[in-house]
Amino acid sequence: MAKKKSAVATSSRQQWEELVDAINEARAAYYQHERPTISDEEYDRLYRALEELETAHPELVSGESPTQTVGGDRSEMFEPVQHLVRLYSLDNAFNNDELSAWFDRIERALGSMPRLLCEVKIDGLAVDIVYRDGELVSVATRGDGVTGEDITYNAQFIGAIPERLTAKKPPSLLEVRGEVFLSTGNFDKVNDEQMAAGATPFANPRNAASGTIRQRMDKRVEELTAARAASGTRAQARIERVELEYALAVGRLSALGFTAHGVGAREGIEVTSQSEVYALLDTMGVPVSDRMAVHDSVDGVREYIHYYSEHRHDVEHEIDGVVIKVDEFALQSELGETSRAPRWAIAYKYPPEVVRTRLLDIAVNVGRTGRVTPFAVMDPVLVAGSTVSMATLHNQYEVERKGVLIGDMVFLRKAGDVIPEVIGPVVEARTGDERPFIMPTTCPDCGTKLRPEKEGDKDIRCPNAVSCPAQLRERLFHVASRGALDIEGLGYKAAVALLECGVVQNMGDLFLIDANSLRTCPFFTREPAKGEVGPQLTENAKTMLANLEQAKSKPLWRMLVALSIRHVGPTAAQALAGEFRSIEAIAGADIDRLADVEGVGHVIAEAVAEWFGEEWHRQIIEKWERAGVRLVDAAPDESALAPQTLAGLTIVITGSIPGYTRDGAAAAALARGAKVAGSVSKKTSALVAGESAGSKLDKAESLGVRIVPAESFDVLLQQGLDAVLKG
Ligand SMILES: [Zn+2]
């Protein structure tokens, strides 16, 4: 049976879309091309019709409506402004070949490679600011480069744009160009507000900055004044609403940042290069980027590009590339411009990280600790260099918070190595056929009723830890993972096969697997070749058996990670293993004793005690022991492996340490008697800080914890902390 939809709702949405399109088209024609396509009266009529429709159907109002972004009737705000000197857009290079071609052109035209200025390309909105005798006189959007929209009125709310230049003798004229942007934190906040209001989140900070700056603040002020002047029973409620909206708008504008990236018209100043301009603007109180760098060589430029492709998300705002400019103005003039863009600059663009795709379904996954996680199933889409078709949605509250419906078009973000994330729905693209996600109440794998671990938990779980097939499978697979016992040959399919064939009942049987038991399972066997009798083990099966044997003598902390004790990752496992040195001692310790261990704490301690309290868990341990798994680490005094240079010290390791994996560095420190903790505290003896060390470094500095640079890590291991500090 076809779904019955309200005919009224459908037709008003259609009407709304038509009006929005017509108004936007007219606006684009007027503002961007200065060629009005319809008369002012016709425009006003459309605009009023839209307002009426939205009043009657408030659910239609969205961030993309012209009533919400830019006022329909024309006033000084958003009037066309002629820039004094044209703002060019930049040519783009999307790969190394295109960049090399640009270098070649520059070198050929100038006879040698000039000094090149590099700066990060802020994902924001370009604006043009005119100062006369040091006083701000106008701010305009970039527009088409020749004509922009007047946003002077709104600029007064943007603290980052100075209203006057701090100079004893300011230039009589200075046209400053730059980027208005939202920091990453403010961008997320704005999008949270959008979603809370049921509107489409902004796909990127550029759109958010644009939407923020292009609101009718003049209208809001008028509305506020009118509301305050009115009287009557409903006046107070109206004042409150208007004041709230006004405060929100002001808050958003004042959250905008600004960074200058050039100058246009100027009188009364002498500057000879781009870098000199930045230095000068800096002295006059105009924000410039401290990430700017001038390079004499192409190699330096390439390194700069590479650095920011790796550290793209360490910058406080989004960047979408790097801009390279010939530094000297005389050489810029010599190179000149094409009709579109200057020849003396190029934007090297990083791959896009936000795309649109269709949310086909929301399914749920049962994890190794029973946690039930909804995840998005999407039309496969290429983003940041890889094809993405799934993304976790964490829990049902997150699905609600994002406001996504099954069938929605959604914005999807995939940043570097970070896992892909659904940002939110494109509300305007809805057809009415979308449906909300309903969190299942029973486990999709075993049918057990789902429940939170304890009241107030956002996560819900399948409590059937003993026999839920999903949990058995996930745990078995986890034992083999790199962070745990790293068993080659035991992948996801192998884990499924082991359980389905009954070779193992649960992970307790893992080390009892032998060639005979594997031969009973088709996944691990192949047809006999000539001269062979009966089913033969595959190469994969042999690899798995050999790796299982090796895994029996892995360090204790890896065993702990392999057991899938909730909250126990490598760091907590290392702390526990370092303190207790045997599984028996950990099993016998009470909660307080466990919680006392540096890097463990109460939550983990409880989870550990609870885990060992389960009879069937202890059976797993017994089975492993019987199979010859070593569940004891050598005590430091028995260890002939390494001198105990770090005995008694608590070390935290952050960032990348050359020559070591994260686990490897921790293991090396542990082997020399250190405790390795996951977070910096007053008890920390030293922080080993590798490249891209983040908040831990800040914390260590603020606590006065001693910091060991990554290159001194080997000295630390071999000679101890004093040697490093002396060196
Ligand atoms: Zn289950």
Side-chain angles (χ1 to χ4, degrees):
M1 198 181 92
K3 262 187 242 161
K4 215 173 159 188
K5 270 187 299 175
S6 155
V8 178
T10 309
S11 78
S12 32
R13 171 160 298 279
Q14 204 171 356
Q15 209 183 337
W16 182 86
E17 278 169 1
E18 284 166 5
L19 282 167
V20 169
D21 284 349
I23 291 170
N24 282 339
E25 231 175 77
R27 284 186 47 76
Y30 182 81
Y31 287 114
Q32 287 158 28
H33 315 294
E34 287 187 279
R35 280 193 301 269
T37 46
I38 55 173
S39 70
D40 285 2
E41 289 87 332
E42 175 66 1
Y43 183 92
D44 290 343
R45 195 189 60 74
L46 287 173
Y47 193 82
R48 274 198 307 275
L50 181 64
E51 277 182 326
E52 277 164 25
L53 187 65
E54 289 183 346
T55 312
H57 300 276
E59 74 277 8
L60 292 174
V61 182
S62 82
E64 265 187 25
S65 170
T67 61
Q68 302 299 300
T69 50
V70 182
D73 54 340
R74 292 162 192 158
S75 71
E76 258 178 36
M77 278 274 275
F78 310 115
E79 279 290 278
V81 179
Q82 199 86 12
H83 302 308
L84 300 176
V85 170
R86 178 175 169 182
L87 278 93
Y88 282 96
S89 50
L90 296 178
D91 278 338
N92 294 318
F94 292 99
N95 54 48
N96 264 324
D97 289 348
E98 291 174 11
L99 185 66
S100 299
W102 183 76
F103 287 143
D104 289 347
R105 283 200 298 277
I106 296 289
E107 195 169 12
R108 228 179 303 128
L110 297 176
S112 65
M113 190 54 82
R115 273 189 311 147
L116 297 167
L117 179 141
C118 301
E119 58 199 15
V120 293
K121 190 170 182 303
I122 303 173
D123 191 12
L125 180 76
V127 298
D128 184 274
I129 311 170
V130 176
Y131 290 95
R132 289 191 191 274
D133 298 319
E135 298 285 330
L136 184 146
V137 294
S138 75
V139 186
T141 62
R142 182 186 171 283
D144 63 1
V146 177
T147 312
E149 290 173 339
D150 189 343
I151 52 165
T152 314
Y153 189 90
N154 284 356
Q156 65 179 302
F157 300 99
I158 307 172
I161 297 181
E163 286 184 36
R164 62 183 55 82
L165 303 174
T166 51
K168 276 204 188 101
K169 263 198 73 185
S172 54
L173 172 66
L174 187 62
E175 190 179 23
V176 177
R177 277 78 190 271
E179 210 76 5
V180 165
F181 61 89
L182 279 167
S183 69
T184 314
N186 283 331
F187 172 59
D188 292 341
K189 205 171 135 239
V190 165
N191 265 353
D192 284 346
E193 288 168 3
Q194 287 286 110
M195 284 185 278
T200 301
F202 295 107
N204 53 48
R206 183 180 61 251
N207 290 357
S210 173
T212 301
I213 212 163
R214 297 167 90 239
Q215 22 173 4
R216 291 298 302 258
M217 286 306 286
D218 54 342
K219 288 271 172 196
R220 285 197 191 282
V221 172
E222 271 174 32
E223 200 182 8
L224 191 60
T225 316
R228 283 175 177 161
S231 57
T233 48
R234 292 168 63 189
Q236 193 52 39
R238 181 168 151 74
I239 291 173
E240 274 167 25
R241 180 182 63 79
V242 176
E243 276 180 346
L244 192 71
E245 285 173 4
Y246 177 77
L248 187 71
V250 170
R252 282 195 183 183
L253 277 166
S254 58
L256 289 170
F258 173 76
T259 297
H261 54 49
V263 289
R266 53 191 184 268
E267 282 164 18
I269 52 163
E270 283 301 318
V271 275
T272 61
S273 71
Q274 193 81 29
S275 50
E276 203 186 328
V277 161
Y278 290 157
L280 186 71
L281 289 175
D282 191 28
T283 66
M284 294 196 291
V286 178
V288 292
S289 173
D290 54 9
R291 297 178 185 277
M292 181 273 289
V294 178
H295 287 288
D296 288 321
S297 74
V298 165
D299 287 345
V301 174
R302 289 194 193 281
E303 267 170 41
Y304 186 94
I305 290 172
H306 179 70
Y307 179 85
Y308 279 104
S309 74
E310 302 266 294
H311 293 84
R312 189 169 171 179
H313 299 285
D314 300 341
V315 180
E316 58 283 2
H317 49 69
E318 292 271 329
I319 62 174
D320 55 1
V322 163
V323 178
I324 307 136
K325 295 167 178 166
V326 171
D327 191 34
E328 246 179 275
F329 284 156
L331 298 179
Q332 288 187 2
S333 308
E334 199 176 323
L335 289 162
E337 291 88 18
T338 67
S339 59
R340 287 188 326 275
R343 291 193 184 88
W344 46 266
I346 196 157
Y348 184 92
K349 296 290 273 287
Y350 296 135
E353 295 186 325
V354 175
V355 294
R356 268 169 65 136
T357 188
R358 178 79 62 193
L359 178 64
L360 301 173
D361 197 6
I362 297 177
V364 294
N365 169 58
V366 182
R368 64 195 166 94
T369 60
R371 193 166 78 145
V372 179
T373 314
F375 64 97
V377 181
M378 294 162 293
D379 252 347
V381 62
L382 188 69
V383 54
S386 51
T387 301
V388 174
S389 59
M390 281 187 276
T392 180
L393 290 164
H394 304 288
N395 56 54
Q396 59 179 321
Y397 302 99
E398 191 64 7
V399 178
E400 282 164 25
R401 193 184 72 80
K402 288 181 189 294
V404 285
L405 302 178
I406 295 166
D408 264 337
M409 283 303 289
V410 294
F411 290 123
L412 173 75
R413 172 164 51 208
K414 165 96 170 69
D417 294 335
V418 182
I419 57 166
E421 179 202 4
V422 171
I423 303 176
V426 183
V427 177
E428 291 73 20
R430 285 192 177 147
T431 60
D433 290 335
E434 297 78 9
R435 61 194 163 87
F437 163 71
I438 296 161
M439 191 73 178
T441 52
T442 57
C443 175
D445 277 77
C446 70
T448 307
K449 195 166 184 313
L450 302 175
R451 57 174 165 82
E453 179 68 19
K454 50 182 189 301
E455 218 175 302
D457 272 3
K458 282 191 172 172
D459 294 329
I460 58 167
R461 292 172 188 278
C462 166
N464 178 17
V466 183
S467 62
C468 174
Q471 293 184 52
L472 290 171
R473 188 168 66 224
E474 295 287 339
R475 284 199 296 266
L476 200 53
F477 177 59
H478 172 76
V479 173
S481 69
R482 266 212 200 131
L485 295 183
D486 196 7
I487 299 165
E488 214 185 310
L490 179 47
Y492 201 77
K493 284 183 186 157
V496 171
L498 286 172
L499 287 161
E500 279 181 355
C501 295
V503 177
V504 301
Q505 298 302 315
N506 65 34
M507 68 184 186
D509 305 326
L510 189 59
F511 293 98
L512 302 171
I513 298 171
D514 59 16
N516 282 334
S517 60
L518 285 185
R519 271 192 212 105
T520 64
C521 187
F523 179 83
F524 297 101
T525 59
R526 59 169 173 80
E527 292 294 310
K530 245 185 207 159
E532 291 174 336
V533 184
Q536 302 291 311
L537 290 187
T538 60
E539 286 311 305
N540 184 65
K542 289 179 194 163
T543 305
M544 184 177 78
L545 283 175
N547 271 271
L548 276 169
E549 194 54 38
Q550 268 179 12
K552 288 179 181 174
S553 51
K554 294 243 163 142
L556 177 59
W557 70 264
R558 288 186 173 275
M559 300 295 170
L560 288 169
V561 172
L563 291 171
S564 283
I565 304 168
R566 196 146 18 117
H567 306 305
V568 178
T571 308
Q574 283 165 7
L576 288 166
E579 179 73 22
F580 294 99
R581 303 206 168 263
S582 78
I583 208 120
E584 211 185 323
I586 297 169
D590 63 20
I591 291 182
D592 289 342
R593 175 80 181 88
L594 291 165
D596 262 355
V597 178
E598 173 83 33
V600 175
H602 207 78
V603 174
I604 297 175
E606 246 177 30
V608 171
E610 195 185 307
W611 195 90
F612 283 102
E614 288 280 352
E615 174 58 28
W616 68 280
H617 284 154
R618 286 203 302 275
Q619 283 172 9
I620 292 173
I621 305 277
E622 279 163 26
K623 278 186 176 173
W624 280 19
E625 271 174 338
R626 276 208 304 277
V629 177
R630 199 185 69 174
L631 294 165
V632 180
D633 272 351
D637 52 344
E638 295 165 11
S639 163
L641 291 172
Q644 298 297 295
T645 45
L646 304 179
L649 299 181
T650 301
I651 307 279
V652 176
I653 301 170
T654 186
S656 55
I657 313 293
Y660 293 88
T661 61
R662 184 67 67 90
D663 287 349
L670 283 168
R672 281 161 172 87
K675 284 186 196 171
V676 177
S679 60
V680 174
S681 73
K682 279 187 196 155
K683 287 192 217 161
T684 308
S685 316
L687 174 77
V688 180
E691 195 173 307
S692 64
S695 57
K696 286 180 189 167
L697 182 56
D698 298 338
K699 183 152 186 214
E701 278 168 350
S702 72
L703 288 175
V705 168
R706 289 181 286 192
I707 290 156
V708 176
E711 57 270 25
S712 303
F713 185 59
D714 284 330
V715 179
L716 176 74
L717 291 177
Q718 282 148 24
Q719 300 173 44
L721 187 55
D722 289 342
V724 176
L725 299 174
K726 272 178 213 146

